[in-house]
């Protein structure tokens, strides 16, 4: 089947996934441009509640699904936002039925790992920027080891990995 579930993640060169609880501190202009382009090519975006609370999700070009047990709306003003209390795998299945095949996972590493465990991520778009000193570090090589085909390119100091099986 076609690549339909794409996960996107930005990390600093030391593996940090956030700085001051946000990805903006480790992102780069090149990463941001690729990130925004990717969003325009999908049917729906899925994030976790923690991501929605720390990142700017008040506007999205497509429907946004926030997986959360909390009833507090962290994305005030986004009329495309839906709140589901379910597992990431269940959210992917439900989103495919309601919105279409092209699903973008913008959740954090725990959501990505959960979906990798049940082989529901078709492609990983990983940006590695020169930033260091953030929090929540991951092992970049370990993450990429889930995929058999890995393309790598560099643009102005940001390394882009596009990985799939």
């Amino acid at each position: 089947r076609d690549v339909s579930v794409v996960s996107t993640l930005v990390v600093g060169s030391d593996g940090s996934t956030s700085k001051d609880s946000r990805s903006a501190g480790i992102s780069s202009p090149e990463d941001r441009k690729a990130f925004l382009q990717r969003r325009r090519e999908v049917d729906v975006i899925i994030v976790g509640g923690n991501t929605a609370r720390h990142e700017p999700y008040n506007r999205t070009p497509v429907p946004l699904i926030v997986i959360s047990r909390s009833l507090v709306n962290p994305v005030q003003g986004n009329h495309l936002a839906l709140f589901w209390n379910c597992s990431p795998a269940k959210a992917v299945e439900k989103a495919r039925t309601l919105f279409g095949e092209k699903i973008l996972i913008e959740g954090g590493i725990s959501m990505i790992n959960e979906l990798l465990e049940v082989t529901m991520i078709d492609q990983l778009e990983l940006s590695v920027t020169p930033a260091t000193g953030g929090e929540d570090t991951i092992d970049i090589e370990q993450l990429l080891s889930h995929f058999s085909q890995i393309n790598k390119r560099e643009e102005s100091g940001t390394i882009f990995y596009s990985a799939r099986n």
Side-chain angles (χ1 to χ4, degrees), residues 121-161:
I121 292 179
D122 300 308
Q123 185 172 332
L124 171 70
E125 293 297 329
L126 176 66
S127 303
V128 182
T129 70
T132 57
E135 310 91 33
D136 304 318
T137 58
I138 62 158
D139 182 334
I140 296 168
E141 292 304 314
Q142 195 275 328
L143 179 59
L144 289 171
S145 74
H146 291 273
F147 301 91
S148 54
Q149 296 173 290
I150 300 170
N151 293 319
K152 177 182 172 181
R153 68 179 178 83
E154 188 174 337
E155 190 180 322
S156 305
T158 295
I159 301 166
F160 293 95
Y161 292 96

mmCIF file of all heavy atoms in Angstrom, residues 121-161:
data_model
loop_
_atom_site.group_PDB
_atom_site.id
_atom_site.type_symbol
_atom_site.label_atom_id
_atom_site.label_comp_id
_atom_site.label_asym_id
_atom_site.label_seq_id
_atom_site.Cartn_x
_atom_site.Cartn_y
_atom_site.Cartn_z
ATOM 1 N N ILE A 121 3.597 3.202 11.366
ATOM 2 C CA ILE A 121 4.232 4.362 10.737
ATOM 3 C C ILE A 121 4.896 3.880 9.452
ATOM 4 O O ILE A 121 5.741 2.999 9.468
ATOM 5 C CB ILE A 121 5.254 5.033 11.675
ATOM 6 C CG1 ILE A 121 4.526 5.684 12.850
ATOM 7 C CG2 ILE A 121 6.083 6.079 10.906
ATOM 8 C CD1 ILE A 121 5.417 6.360 13.861
ATOM 9 N N ASP A 122 4.458 4.453 8.328
ATOM 10 C CA ASP A 122 5.001 4.066 7.027
ATOM 11 C C ASP A 122 6.285 4.827 6.704
ATOM 12 O O ASP A 122 7.149 4.328 5.999
ATOM 13 C CB ASP A 122 3.970 4.336 5.927
ATOM 14 C CG ASP A 122 2.692 3.542 6.159
ATOM 15 O OD1 ASP A 122 2.786 2.319 6.338
ATOM 16 O OD2 ASP A 122 1.617 4.158 6.165
ATOM 17 N N GLN A 123 6.373 6.055 7.209
ATOM 18 C CA GLN A 123 7.513 6.901 6.881
ATOM 19 C C GLN A 123 7.811 7.835 8.042
ATOM 20 O O GLN A 123 6.896 8.345 8.684
ATOM 21 C CB GLN A 123 7.189 7.707 5.625
ATOM 22 C CG GLN A 123 8.324 8.535 5.097
ATOM 23 C CD GLN A 123 7.975 9.141 3.745
ATOM 24 O OE1 GLN A 123 7.185 8.595 2.987
ATOM 25 N NE2 GLN A 123 8.570 10.277 3.440
ATOM 26 N N LEU A 124 9.097 8.054 8.278
ATOM 27 C CA LEU A 124 9.541 8.993 9.304
ATOM 28 C C LEU A 124 10.314 10.108 8.629
ATOM 29 O O LEU A 124 11.230 9.848 7.849
ATOM 30 C CB LEU A 124 10.445 8.290 10.325
ATOM 31 C CG LEU A 124 11.145 9.211 11.339
ATOM 32 C CD1 LEU A 124 10.142 9.794 12.336
ATOM 33 C CD2 LEU A 124 12.246 8.454 12.075
ATOM 34 N N GLU A 125 9.923 11.334 8.904
ATOM 35 C CA GLU A 125 10.655 12.508 8.424
ATOM 36 C C GLU A 125 11.334 13.114 9.648
ATOM 37 O O GLU A 125 10.680 13.730 10.481
ATOM 38 C CB GLU A 125 9.708 13.510 7.758
ATOM 39 C CG GLU A 125 9.101 13.007 6.460
ATOM 40 C CD GLU A 125 10.128 12.744 5.369
ATOM 41 O OE1 GLU A 125 11.168 13.438 5.332
ATOM 42 O OE2 GLU A 125 9.912 11.825 4.561
ATOM 43 N N LEU A 126 12.638 12.901 9.748
ATOM 44 C CA LEU A 126 13.399 13.338 10.916
ATOM 45 C C LEU A 126 14.357 14.449 10.526
ATOM 46 O O LEU A 126 15.156 14.294 9.602
ATOM 47 C CB LEU A 126 14.181 12.149 11.490
ATOM 48 C CG LEU A 126 15.111 12.420 12.660
ATOM 49 C CD1 LEU A 126 14.333 12.844 13.903
ATOM 50 C CD2 LEU A 126 15.962 11.194 12.959
ATOM 51 N N SER A 127 14.260 15.582 11.204
ATOM 52 C CA SER A 127 15.189 16.692 10.984
ATOM 53 C C SER A 127 16.133 16.756 12.166
ATOM 54 O O SER A 127 15.692 16.760 13.314
ATOM 55 C CB SER A 127 14.431 18.023 10.901
ATOM 56 O OG SER A 127 13.451 17.988 9.891
ATOM 57 N N VAL A 128 17.431 16.807 11.873
ATOM 58 C CA VAL A 128 18.435 16.940 12.928
ATOM 59 C C VAL A 128 19.131 18.282 12.718
ATOM 60 O O VAL A 128 19.829 18.486 11.731
ATOM 61 C CB VAL A 128 19.456 15.776 12.904
ATOM 62 C CG1 VAL A 128 20.462 15.941 14.054
ATOM 63 C CG2 VAL A 128 18.742 14.427 13.019
ATOM 64 N N THR A 129 18.888 19.197 13.647
ATOM 65 C CA THR A 129 19.438 20.552 13.536
ATOM 66 C C THR A 129 20.715 20.669 14.374
ATOM 67 O O THR A 129 20.986 19.806 15.208
ATOM 68 C CB THR A 129 18.415 21.598 14.029
ATOM 69 O OG1 THR A 129 18.292 21.475 15.457
ATOM 70 C CG2 THR A 129 17.046 21.412 13.376
ATOM 71 N N PRO A 130 21.477 21.743 14.192
ATOM 72 C CA PRO A 130 22.703 21.928 14.980
ATOM 73 C C PRO A 130 22.454 22.239 16.461
ATOM 74 O O PRO A 130 23.392 22.253 17.254
ATOM 75 C CB PRO A 130 23.388 23.126 14.303
ATOM 76 C CG PRO A 130 22.747 23.277 12.971
ATOM 77 C CD PRO A 130 21.351 22.754 13.127
ATOM 78 N N ALA A 131 21.209 22.465 16.847
ATOM 79 C CA ALA A 131 20.900 22.849 18.232
ATOM 80 C C ALA A 131 21.338 21.783 19.238
ATOM 81 O O ALA A 131 21.309 20.590 18.952
ATOM 82 C CB ALA A 131 19.391 23.086 18.383
ATOM 83 N N THR A 132 21.726 22.231 20.426
ATOM 84 C CA THR A 132 22.083 21.326 21.525
ATOM 85 C C THR A 132 21.559 21.916 22.830
ATOM 86 O O THR A 132 21.140 23.065 22.875
ATOM 87 C CB THR A 132 23.620 21.136 21.660
ATOM 88 O OG1 THR A 132 24.213 22.430 21.844
ATOM 89 C CG2 THR A 132 24.219 20.458 20.443
ATOM 90 N N GLY A 133 21.607 21.111 23.879
ATOM 91 C CA GLY A 133 21.261 21.612 25.207
ATOM 92 C C GLY A 133 19.792 21.597 25.546
ATOM 93 O O GLY A 133 19.378 22.216 26.517
ATOM 94 N N GLY A 134 18.991 20.880 24.778
ATOM 95 C CA GLY A 134 17.561 20.795 25.081
ATOM 96 C C GLY A 134 17.259 19.644 26.015
ATOM 97 O O GLY A 134 18.166 19.053 26.612
ATOM 98 N N GLU A 135 15.980 19.309 26.123
ATOM 99 C CA GLU A 135 15.532 18.240 27.016
ATOM 100 C C GLU A 135 15.016 17.047 26.211
ATOM 101 O O GLU A 135 14.917 17.103 25.004
ATOM 102 C CB GLU A 135 14.390 18.714 27.920
ATOM 103 C CG GLU A 135 14.596 20.005 28.665
ATOM 104 C CD GLU A 135 14.104 21.239 27.918
ATOM 105 O OE1 GLU A 135 13.118 21.176 27.181
ATOM 106 O OE2 GLU A 135 14.756 22.286 28.080
ATOM 107 N N ASP A 136 14.631 16.016 26.977
ATOM 108 C CA ASP A 136 13.986 14.821 26.423
ATOM 109 C C ASP A 136 14.771 14.232 25.258
ATOM 110 O O ASP A 136 14.243 14.075 24.154
ATOM 111 C CB ASP A 136 12.544 15.139 25.986
ATOM 112 C CG ASP A 136 11.723 15.715 27.125
ATOM 113 O OD1 ASP A 136 11.839 15.196 28.239
ATOM 114 O OD2 ASP A 136 10.976 16.685 26.892
ATOM 115 N N THR A 137 16.051 13.914 25.501
ATOM 116 C CA THR A 137 16.882 13.396 24.423
ATOM 117 C C THR A 137 16.494 11.970 24.027
ATOM 118 O O THR A 137 16.036 11.188 24.850
ATOM 119 C CB THR A 137 18.379 13.419 24.793
ATOM 120 O OG1 THR A 137 18.563 12.653 25.976
ATOM 121 C CG2 THR A 137 18.881 14.829 25.012
ATOM 122 N N ILE A 138 16.677 11.698 22.746
ATOM 123 C CA ILE A 138 16.416 10.370 22.199
ATOM 124 C C ILE A 138 17.686 9.877 21.511
ATOM 125 O O ILE A 138 18.582 10.657 21.217
ATOM 126 C CB ILE A 138 15.254 10.376 21.182
ATOM 127 C CG1 ILE A 138 15.589 11.273 19.973
ATOM 128 C CG2 ILE A 138 13.951 10.798 21.840
ATOM 129 C CD1 ILE A 138 14.807 10.937 18.734
ATOM 130 N N ASP A 139 17.709 8.592 21.226
ATOM 131 C CA ASP A 139 18.805 7.985 20.478
ATOM 132 C C ASP A 139 18.400 7.987 19.005
ATOM 133 O O ASP A 139 17.535 7.212 18.583
ATOM 134 C CB ASP A 139 19.029 6.554 20.998
ATOM 135 C CG ASP A 139 20.181 5.849 20.313
ATOM 136 O OD1 ASP A 139 20.503 6.189 19.148
ATOM 137 O OD2 ASP A 139 20.757 4.937 20.939
ATOM 138 N N ILE A 140 19.003 8.877 18.234
ATOM 139 C CA ILE A 140 18.656 9.052 16.819
ATOM 140 C C ILE A 140 18.863 7.756 16.028
ATOM 141 O O ILE A 140 18.004 7.346 15.257
ATOM 142 C CB ILE A 140 19.471 10.214 16.201
ATOM 143 C CG1 ILE A 140 19.096 11.544 16.885
ATOM 144 C CG2 ILE A 140 19.240 10.307 14.694
ATOM 145 C CD1 ILE A 140 20.022 12.709 16.582
ATOM 146 N N GLU A 141 20.006 7.095 16.243
ATOM 147 C CA GLU A 141 20.307 5.851 15.532
ATOM 148 C C GLU A 141 19.280 4.765 15.855
ATOM 149 O O GLU A 141 18.841 4.024 14.979
ATOM 150 C CB GLU A 141 21.717 5.347 15.880
ATOM 151 C CG GLU A 141 22.814 6.248 15.356
ATOM 152 C CD GLU A 141 22.745 6.476 13.841
ATOM 153 O OE1 GLU A 141 22.565 5.475 13.105
ATOM 154 O OE2 GLU A 141 22.844 7.636 13.414
ATOM 155 N N GLN A 142 18.901 4.684 17.117
ATOM 156 C CA GLN A 142 17.916 3.680 17.548
ATOM 157 C C GLN A 142 16.572 3.931 16.858
ATOM 158 O O GLN A 142 15.923 3.004 16.395
ATOM 159 C CB GLN A 142 17.791 3.720 19.077
ATOM 160 C CG GLN A 142 17.086 2.518 19.693
ATOM 161 C CD GLN A 142 15.565 2.652 19.722
ATOM 162 O OE1 GLN A 142 15.029 3.745 19.851
ATOM 163 N NE2 GLN A 142 14.882 1.545 19.573
ATOM 164 N N LEU A 143 16.173 5.189 16.768
ATOM 165 C CA LEU A 143 14.917 5.535 16.104
ATOM 166 C C LEU A 143 14.972 5.143 14.625
ATOM 167 O O LEU A 143 14.045 4.524 14.098
ATOM 168 C CB LEU A 143 14.629 7.034 16.250
ATOM 169 C CG LEU A 143 13.358 7.556 15.574
ATOM 170 C CD1 LEU A 143 12.112 6.867 16.106
ATOM 171 C CD2 LEU A 143 13.251 9.059 15.734
ATOM 172 N N LEU A 144 16.071 5.461 13.961
ATOM 173 C CA LEU A 144 16.212 5.154 12.540
ATOM 174 C C LEU A 144 16.324 3.647 12.280
ATOM 175 O O LEU A 144 16.020 3.187 11.184
ATOM 176 C CB LEU A 144 17.418 5.888 11.951
ATOM 177 C CG LEU A 144 17.254 7.408 11.811
ATOM 178 C CD1 LEU A 144 18.580 8.046 11.440
ATOM 179 C CD2 LEU A 144 16.186 7.759 10.786
ATOM 180 N N SER A 145 16.734 2.884 13.293
ATOM 181 C CA SER A 145 16.919 1.436 13.131
ATOM 182 C C SER A 145 15.605 0.698 12.850
ATOM 183 O O SER A 145 15.610 -0.456 12.444
ATOM 184 C CB SER A 145 17.599 0.831 14.361
ATOM 185 O OG SER A 145 16.690 0.753 15.445
ATOM 186 N N HIS A 146 14.469 1.360 13.042
ATOM 187 C CA HIS A 146 13.163 0.764 12.756
ATOM 188 C C HIS A 146 12.866 0.724 11.257
ATOM 189 O O HIS A 146 11.858 0.167 10.848
ATOM 190 C CB HIS A 146 12.040 1.549 13.455
ATOM 191 C CG HIS A 146 12.048 1.405 14.932
ATOM 192 N ND1 HIS A 146 11.408 0.376 15.586
ATOM 193 C CD2 HIS A 146 12.631 2.160 15.890
ATOM 194 C CE1 HIS A 146 11.594 0.510 16.893
ATOM 195 N NE2 HIS A 146 12.329 1.582 17.097
ATOM 196 N N PHE A 147 13.717 1.370 10.465
ATOM 197 C CA PHE A 147 13.449 1.503 9.035
ATOM 198 C C PHE A 147 14.567 0.896 8.193
ATOM 199 O O PHE A 147 15.727 0.928 8.584
ATOM 200 C CB PHE A 147 13.260 2.983 8.681
ATOM 201 C CG PHE A 147 12.129 3.621 9.431
ATOM 202 C CD1 PHE A 147 12.350 4.251 10.653
ATOM 203 C CD2 PHE A 147 10.827 3.566 8.951
ATOM 204 C CE1 PHE A 147 11.308 4.818 11.370
ATOM 205 C CE2 PHE A 147 9.780 4.127 9.662
ATOM 206 C CZ PHE A 147 10.019 4.755 10.873
ATOM 207 N N SER A 148 14.208 0.347 7.026
ATOM 208 C CA SER A 148 15.203 -0.297 6.169
ATOM 209 C C SER A 148 15.754 0.637 5.089
ATOM 210 O O SER A 148 16.891 0.504 4.680
ATOM 211 C CB SER A 148 14.598 -1.544 5.514
ATOM 212 O OG SER A 148 13.406 -1.209 4.841
ATOM 213 N N GLN A 149 14.954 1.589 4.623
ATOM 214 C CA GLN A 149 15.416 2.539 3.604
ATOM 215 C C GLN A 149 15.531 3.912 4.236
ATOM 216 O O GLN A 149 14.540 4.457 4.725
ATOM 217 C CB GLN A 149 14.415 2.634 2.450
ATOM 218 C CG GLN A 149 14.241 1.366 1.657
ATOM 219 C CD GLN A 149 13.105 1.549 0.655
ATOM 220 O OE1 GLN A 149 11.938 1.628 1.045
ATOM 221 N NE2 GLN A 149 13.442 1.648 -0.613
ATOM 222 N N ILE A 150 16.744 4.468 4.203
ATOM 223 C CA ILE A 150 16.937 5.787 4.803
ATOM 224 C C ILE A 150 17.661 6.694 3.815
ATOM 225 O O ILE A 150 18.753 6.384 3.351
ATOM 226 C CB ILE A 150 17.755 5.693 6.115
ATOM 227 C CG1 ILE A 150 17.020 4.798 7.123
ATOM 228 C CG2 ILE A 150 17.993 7.090 6.698
ATOM 229 C CD1 ILE A 150 17.831 4.442 8.349
ATOM 230 N N ASN A 151 17.005 7.777 3.458
ATOM 231 C CA ASN A 151 17.634 8.789 2.614
ATOM 232 C C ASN A 151 18.037 9.951 3.509
ATOM 233 O O ASN A 151 17.288 10.339 4.400
ATOM 234 C CB ASN A 151 16.673 9.277 1.523
ATOM 235 C CG ASN A 151 16.375 8.184 0.523
ATOM 236 O OD1 ASN A 151 17.259 7.440 0.126
ATOM 237 N ND2 ASN A 151 15.114 8.075 0.132
ATOM 238 N N LYS A 152 19.209 10.510 3.231
ATOM 239 C CA LYS A 152 19.745 11.583 4.066
ATOM 240 C C LYS A 152 20.200 12.715 3.163
ATOM 241 O O LYS A 152 20.850 12.485 2.146
ATOM 242 C CB LYS A 152 20.929 11.010 4.848
ATOM 243 C CG LYS A 152 21.659 11.991 5.723
ATOM 244 C CD LYS A 152 22.833 11.274 6.402
ATOM 245 C CE LYS A 152 23.717 12.247 7.150
ATOM 246 N NZ LYS A 152 24.859 11.578 7.776
ATOM 247 N N ARG A 153 19.808 13.933 3.515
ATOM 248 C CA ARG A 153 20.313 15.102 2.805
ATOM 249 C C ARG A 153 20.556 16.215 3.808
ATOM 250 O O ARG A 153 19.963 16.219 4.892
ATOM 251 C CB ARG A 153 19.350 15.542 1.703
ATOM 252 C CG ARG A 153 18.038 16.107 2.192
ATOM 253 C CD ARG A 153 17.142 16.558 1.052
ATOM 254 N NE ARG A 153 15.870 17.046 1.561
ATOM 255 C CZ ARG A 153 15.672 18.284 2.030
ATOM 256 N NH1 ARG A 153 16.649 19.172 2.012
ATOM 257 N NH2 ARG A 153 14.489 18.643 2.505
ATOM 258 N N GLU A 154 21.423 17.135 3.452
ATOM 259 C CA GLU A 154 21.730 18.229 4.360
ATOM 260 C C GLU A 154 21.458 19.555 3.671
ATOM 261 O O GLU A 154 21.706 19.711 2.479
ATOM 262 C CB GLU A 154 23.194 18.161 4.796
ATOM 263 C CG GLU A 154 23.502 19.180 5.891
ATOM 264 C CD GLU A 154 24.904 19.047 6.463
ATOM 265 O OE1 GLU A 154 25.486 17.948 6.366
ATOM 266 O OE2 GLU A 154 25.413 20.039 7.000
ATOM 267 N N GLU A 155 20.902 20.476 4.430
ATOM 268 C CA GLU A 155 20.616 21.808 3.906
ATOM 269 C C GLU A 155 20.918 22.826 4.997
ATOM 270 O O GLU A 155 20.283 22.819 6.050
ATOM 271 C CB GLU A 155 19.140 21.872 3.494
ATOM 272 C CG GLU A 155 18.748 23.099 2.707
ATOM 273 C CD GLU A 155 17.273 23.101 2.344
ATOM 274 O OE1 GLU A 155 16.724 22.032 2.031
ATOM 275 O OE2 GLU A 155 16.673 24.189 2.401
ATOM 276 N N SER A 156 21.909 23.668 4.761
ATOM 277 C CA SER A 156 22.301 24.726 5.706
ATOM 278 C C SER A 156 22.473 24.226 7.141
ATOM 279 O O SER A 156 22.013 24.864 8.082
ATOM 280 C CB SER A 156 21.279 25.873 5.695
ATOM 281 O OG SER A 156 21.103 26.360 4.382
ATOM 282 N N GLY A 157 23.114 23.093 7.289
ATOM 283 C CA GLY A 157 23.402 22.591 8.635
ATOM 284 C C GLY A 157 22.338 21.685 9.239
ATOM 285 O O GLY A 157 22.563 21.064 10.262
ATOM 286 N N THR A 158 21.161 21.615 8.618
ATOM 287 C CA THR A 158 20.116 20.712 9.101
ATOM 288 C C THR A 158 20.173 19.437 8.255
ATOM 289 O O THR A 158 20.203 19.507 7.031
ATOM 290 C CB THR A 158 18.722 21.355 8.997
ATOM 291 O OG1 THR A 158 18.669 22.484 9.878
ATOM 292 C CG2 THR A 158 17.621 20.370 9.400
ATOM 293 N N ILE A 159 20.205 18.286 8.935
ATOM 294 C CA ILE A 159 20.224 17.002 8.237
ATOM 295 C C ILE A 159 18.799 16.455 8.222
ATOM 296 O O ILE A 159 18.143 16.375 9.269
ATOM 297 C CB ILE A 159 21.174 16.003 8.923
ATOM 298 C CG1 ILE A 159 22.595 16.579 8.946
ATOM 299 C CG2 ILE A 159 21.144 14.651 8.197
ATOM 300 C CD1 ILE A 159 23.536 15.833 9.875
ATOM 301 N N PHE A 160 18.330 16.119 7.035
ATOM 302 C CA PHE A 160 16.983 15.566 6.868
ATOM 303 C C PHE A 160 17.083 14.079 6.566
ATOM 304 O O PHE A 160 17.726 13.687 5.597
ATOM 305 C CB PHE A 160 16.246 16.266 5.722
ATOM 306 C CG PHE A 160 15.940 17.707 5.992
ATOM 307 C CD1 PHE A 160 16.797 18.705 5.556
ATOM 308 C CD2 PHE A 160 14.790 18.070 6.670
ATOM 309 C CE1 PHE A 160 16.520 20.048 5.804
ATOM 310 C CE2 PHE A 160 14.499 19.405 6.919
ATOM 311 C CZ PHE A 160 15.359 20.393 6.491
ATOM 312 N N TYR A 161 16.444 13.257 7.391
ATOM 313 C CA TYR A 161 16.357 11.820 7.141
ATOM 314 C C TYR A 161 14.922 11.523 6.720
ATOM 315 O O TYR A 161 13.985 11.946 7.389
ATOM 316 C CB TYR A 161 16.646 11.028 8.412
ATOM 317 C CG TYR A 161 18.063 11.112 8.891
ATOM 318 C CD1 TYR A 161 18.424 12.036 9.863
ATOM 319 C CD2 TYR A 161 19.041 10.248 8.394
ATOM 320 C CE1 TYR A 161 19.732 12.111 10.330
ATOM 321 C CE2 TYR A 161 20.346 10.318 8.853
ATOM 322 C CZ TYR A 161 20.693 11.252 9.819
ATOM 323 O OH TYR A 161 21.974 11.320 10.274
#
